[in-house]
Amino acid sequence: TYRGVHRRTREKVIVHLYDLSASEEKEPRRIAEREFRALQVLQRSHFVPRFRDSLQELPDYPGEIWFFTVYDPDAPTIEKRTADQTWNLEQRVEFARETIRALKEIHGLTDEQQVAIVHRNLSANALLVGGRNRPLITDFDLARLPLTETISHAGVAGPTGDWVAPEVRQSGLAAATAASDVYSVCHLLRTTFTNYNEAEAERVCAILWNGCRESPTERATLDSLLTAMGAATNG
């Protein structure tokens, strides 16, 4: 992976290089194509970075090195934005609501077999606060198309941190589900209200806690979280 600035447009981009000559897989090109196809599915969401170039051969290395590029959003992480005193309570509540809506949209995306995507790596670095206070979700390198294929190779280490769902900490990436994503995003959003004692912040934190329950089956769904958030912020 290489981060840089496009020479002509000056836009920040990430270049993903696939050196097929270094792979021990039987069909390394197929792995690269699979990751690109999965990211293509995500392009239907309004809350993920955009592609700059599609998957293609590097001109001087035909059949050996392939690449594609995506925009690197120049936006602060949720952790950095939380420390910004100018980010007021109203904006934080709005961002929390929009982030839940964004995750619902991503979970609703399906591939040609109608299989949904699970992010599996929602961390403080993966959740960005973009322009107009809109969430941007990145870091899909551990994402999974459930019951089919994982984007990353089998030997990759699982995520670590307080935001990781208990079942993933205990059993690894194979245990990650949509409910695991709900845990992570609710945990991250709750941290944005740590220094607020207002009643509205307490109501929102109480709602988000329902997405952080230990058991995946007891966690609130994204739909119920959105309904509760709407009632709490309008009442």
Side-chain angles (χ1 to χ4, degrees):
T1 301
Y2 170 77
R3 294 174 182 264
V5 177
H6 193 276
R7 182 168 57 184
R8 181 174 55 82
T9 64
R10 310 308 300 169
E11 293 166 319
K12 293 186 177 181
V13 296
I14 302 177
V15 181
H16 293 264
L17 285 175
Y18 298 88
D19 184 354
L20 306 186
S21 65
S23 176
E24 297 180 358
E25 299 288 339
K26 293 182 179 179
E27 298 181 78
R29 174 177 169 179
R30 184 166 173 263
I31 295 174
E33 291 175 339
R34 186 178 69 200
E35 177 166 352
F36 180 72
R37 286 199 306 271
L39 292 174
Q40 274 186 312
V41 174
L42 291 166
Q43 293 296 289
R44 301 204 299 268
S45 171
H46 298 92
F47 301 100
V48 299
R50 303 290 98 184
F51 278 126
R52 177 75 198 181
D53 301 296
S54 61
L55 181 67
Q56 56 193 275
E57 292 178 312
L58 200 64
D60 293 336
Y61 300 88
E64 190 170 327
I65 298 181
W66 294 65
F67 77 96
F68 65 82
T69 60
V70 297
Y71 290 113
D72 181 11
D74 189 13
T77 65
I78 187 174
E79 187 174 39
K80 289 182 179 179
R81 198 72 171 100
T82 296
D84 185 351
Q85 298 300 316
T86 66
W87 199 32
N88 61 40
L89 177 58
E90 181 181 359
Q91 292 171 321
R92 293 174 192 234
V93 171
E94 178 190 14
F95 180 80
R97 187 169 54 245
E98 286 301 302
T99 300
I100 294 170
R101 185 173 288 114
L103 184 58
K104 179 185 175 182
E105 181 176 284
I106 288 172
H107 281 178
L109 297 176
T110 58
D111 64 3
E112 59 271 17
Q113 281 82 40
Q114 298 302 300
V115 178
I117 285 180
V118 178
H119 189 288
R120 305 202 305 178
N121 193 30
L122 281 167
S123 68
N125 291 323
L127 182 55
L128 309 181
V129 184
R132 294 180 295 178
N133 205 41
R134 286 172 58 84
L136 281 171
I137 297 178
T138 62
D139 290 358
F140 285 95
D141 54 311
L142 298 183
R144 181 180 66 186
L145 302 179
L147 305 180
T148 54
E149 302 160 320
T150 299
I151 291 180
S152 57
H153 60 78
V156 72
T160 58
D162 293 341
W163 51 270
V164 180
E167 62 273 17
V168 178
R169 289 199 298 266
Q170 181 177 351
S171 304
L173 282 175
T177 64
S180 308
D181 282 354
V182 172
Y183 181 98
S184 295
V185 81
C186 287
H187 179 90
L188 291 169
L189 292 173
R190 289 185 71 203
T191 63
T192 66
F193 300 99
T194 301
N195 297 322
Y196 284 88
N197 298 318
E198 285 86 343
E200 184 177 17
E202 292 177 356
R203 288 197 298 269
V204 172
C205 280
I207 292 168
L208 294 172
W209 183 85
N210 289 320
C212 296
R213 295 180 182 269
E214 287 291 304
S215 172
T217 59
E218 294 179 359
R219 287 174 205 150
T221 64
L222 295 173
D223 281 329
S224 65
L225 288 170
L226 283 174
T227 299
M229 288 279 287
T233 55
N234 292 328

